[in-house]
């Protein structure tokens, strides 16, 4: 079994990274967390090696939605790593889903009946990756019967590995992390992004007007997963975005919750895997965001 030895894993022998290992005979069986972290690190290393190299891109759902062969290769690597350890588990990857004949909505409806569903974004922030801009991540989550139990986000540019297990807190490179303590929106840095769907892009851009009046500043880093990881560790006070997919946010949602934060729909409802429009925050500024977004009802894009 591979043993991590980089400086960023200096606390790997401490809790909680190896918690959950089982010994069967003379064989050490990797935990779900260890498997996810291994897959994320391997894929991230490969992705980083391809930065600034010429590569072909192709459009998916719109002119704003592109994919590279590296996205596909990353997903194949992650899928292989996970299913090698857990061949009976289900796998939901962004690139595989794009070519699938089954609608994503149907898969998410069935999620509550699936014992183990891995939800993967092989490169969140593909545009950053294509242009050689730091801020692309690997995101891996595990849902059991529709409930998130594990989330891993790896930023290969900074060699930062974020992870969370339900009920066990959130961590970055072995250190516990927690949400921002900022109490007022005016002191809070908030982030958002621009998805590929034109209607959702428009409402996101429009909503920045009200948000900008209340918050100190708005950041757009190009990766929803990274935004959520930064809310979890307190670098950002909050994040909102419309039109996201489950693989963009599943891992990050658990990170934020386990770090003490709050995640809801943009209308204040409890987060579900099927939610496309979300707010994540340190709890204290959540009402302000909800109030700002109430000026932009989802009915306006229907």
């Amino acid at each position: 079994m591979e043993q991590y030895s980089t400086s960023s894993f200096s606390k790997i022998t401490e809790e909680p990274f190896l918690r959950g290992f089982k010994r069967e005979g003379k064989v050490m069986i990797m935990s779900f967390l260890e498997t996810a972290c291994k897959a994320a690190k391997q894929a991230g290393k490969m992705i980083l090696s391809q930065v600034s190299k010429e590569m072909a891109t192709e459009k998916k759902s719109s002119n704003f939605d592109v994919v590279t062969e590296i996205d596909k290769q990353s997903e194949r690597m992650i899928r292989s790593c996970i299913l090698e350890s857990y061949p009976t588990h289900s796998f939901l990857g962004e690139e595989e889903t794009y070519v699938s004949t089954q609608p994503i909505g149907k898969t998410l409806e069935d999620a509550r009946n699936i014992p183990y569903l891995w939800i993967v974004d092989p490169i969140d922030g593909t545009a950053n990756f294509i242009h050689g801009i730091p801020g692309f991540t690997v995101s891996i989550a595990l849902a059991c019967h529709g409930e998130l139990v594990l989330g891993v986000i790896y930023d290969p540019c900074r060699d930062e590995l974020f992870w969370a297990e339900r009920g066990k807190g959130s961590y970055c490179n072995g250190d516990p992390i927690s949400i921002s303590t900022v109490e007022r929106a005016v002191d809070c840095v908030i982030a958002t992004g621009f998805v590929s769907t034109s209607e959702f892009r428009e409402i996101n851009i429009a909503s920045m007007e009200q948000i900008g009046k209340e918050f100190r500043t708005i950041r757009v880093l190009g990766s929803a997963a990274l935004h959520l990881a930064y809310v979890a560790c307190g670098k950002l006070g909050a994040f909102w975005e419309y039109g996201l997919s489950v693989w963009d946010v599943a891992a990050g949602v658990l990170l934020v919750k386990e770090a003490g934060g709050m995640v809801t729909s943009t209308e204040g409802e409890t987060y579900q895997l099927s939610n496309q429009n979300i707010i994540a925050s340190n709890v204290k500024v959540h009402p302000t965001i909800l109030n700002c977004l109430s000026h932009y009802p989802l009915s306006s894009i229907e």
Side-chain angles (χ1 to χ4, degrees):
M1 184 189 310
E2 179 179 359
Q3 294 295 319
Y4 297 108
S5 59
T6 61
S7 58
S8 62
F9 283 85
S10 59
K11 297 190 177 183
I12 225 134
T13 56
E14 302 175 8
E15 65 173 11
F17 193 86
L18 298 182
R19 202 158 38 194
F21 265 61
K22 298 182 295 181
R23 183 177 296 278
E24 295 187 4
K26 296 182 178 180
V27 179
M28 201 70 156
I29 306 301
M30 286 193 292
S31 67
F32 295 151
L33 177 60
E34 174 74 4
T35 300
C37 289
K38 175 184 175 182
K41 290 281 285 187
Q42 288 181 344
K45 181 178 180 180
M46 182 278 295
I47 294 164
L48 194 60
S49 73
Q50 300 302 310
V51 173
S52 299
K53 293 186 178 180
E54 290 188 13
M55 66 190 76
T57 63
E58 59 183 276
K59 296 176 184 177
K60 296 198 293 184
S61 60
S62 73
N63 288 333
F64 305 117
D65 191 12
V66 296
V67 64
T68 71
E69 177 55 37
I70 306 306
D71 292 78
K72 298 175 184 178
Q73 184 177 343
S74 174
E75 185 165 309
R76 288 192 296 267
M77 288 180 66
I78 296 167
R79 180 186 179 91
S80 176
C81 183
I82 290 173
L83 296 187
E84 180 180 1
S85 297
Y86 307 107
T88 63
H89 288 193
S90 299
F91 187 93
L92 178 64
E94 177 179 8
E95 308 313 330
E96 178 185 76
T97 301
Y98 174 64
V99 299
S100 173
T101 57
Q102 175 166 298
I104 178 63
K106 181 64 167 61
T107 301
L108 295 179
E109 286 177 10
D110 293 342
R112 65 178 63 91
N113 299 317
I114 301 175
Y116 300 102
L117 176 64
W118 293 88
I119 304 168
V120 172
D121 193 338
I123 304 180
D124 187 49
T126 298
N128 284 347
F129 167 68
I130 291 171
H131 295 282
I133 301 171
F136 46 88
T137 60
V138 176
S139 178
I140 302 173
L142 176 61
C144 295
H145 295 288
E147 296 293 327
L148 291 169
V149 298
L150 170 67
V152 171
I153 295 173
Y154 181 53
D155 176 358
C157 295
R158 298 174 181 82
D159 194 24
E160 289 185 330
L161 183 66
F162 299 86
W163 69 81
E165 293 178 282
R166 189 172 65 183
K168 297 180 181 179
S170 294
Y171 298 80
C172 179
N173 290 348
D175 295 316
I177 57 176
S178 59
I179 55 172
S180 165
T181 58
V182 169
E183 296 190 5
R184 303 187 305 162
V186 70
D187 298 319
C188 179
V189 179
I190 189 170
T192 191
F194 305 107
V195 296
S196 58
T197 308
S198 296
E199 295 83 357
F200 284 118
R201 287 169 72 93
E202 289 171 8
I203 192 172
N204 224 93
I205 292 169
S207 65
M208 293 176 73
E209 180 178 0
Q210 289 296 325
I211 293 288
K213 292 177 182 179
E214 299 289 341
F215 287 79
R216 170 171 288 175
T217 188
I218 300 172
R219 290 289 178 264
V220 180
L221 305 180
S223 165
L226 189 62
H227 286 143
L228 289 164
Y230 280 6
V231 172
C233 70
K235 292 181 180 180
L236 293 172
F239 163 70
W240 94 99
E241 190 169 346
Y242 293 90
L244 293 162
S245 297
V246 64
W247 43 76
D248 298 319
V249 301
V253 164
L254 189 64
L255 277 166
V256 172
K257 288 183 175 181
E258 287 295 320
M262 174 182 289
V263 183
T264 69
S265 73
T266 52
E267 297 181 318
E269 299 168 342
T270 301
Y271 174 79
Q272 304 291 332
L273 292 180
S274 57
N275 287 150
Q276 290 185 281
N277 317 302
I278 74 164
I279 302 169
S281 80
N282 70 348
V283 182
K284 296 176 181 177
V285 299
H286 215 88
T288 303
I289 307 170
L290 284 169
N291 183 58
C292 288
L293 299 186
S294 68
H295 296 274
Y296 308 95
L298 293 175
S299 58
S300 64
I301 61 173
E302 292 178 353

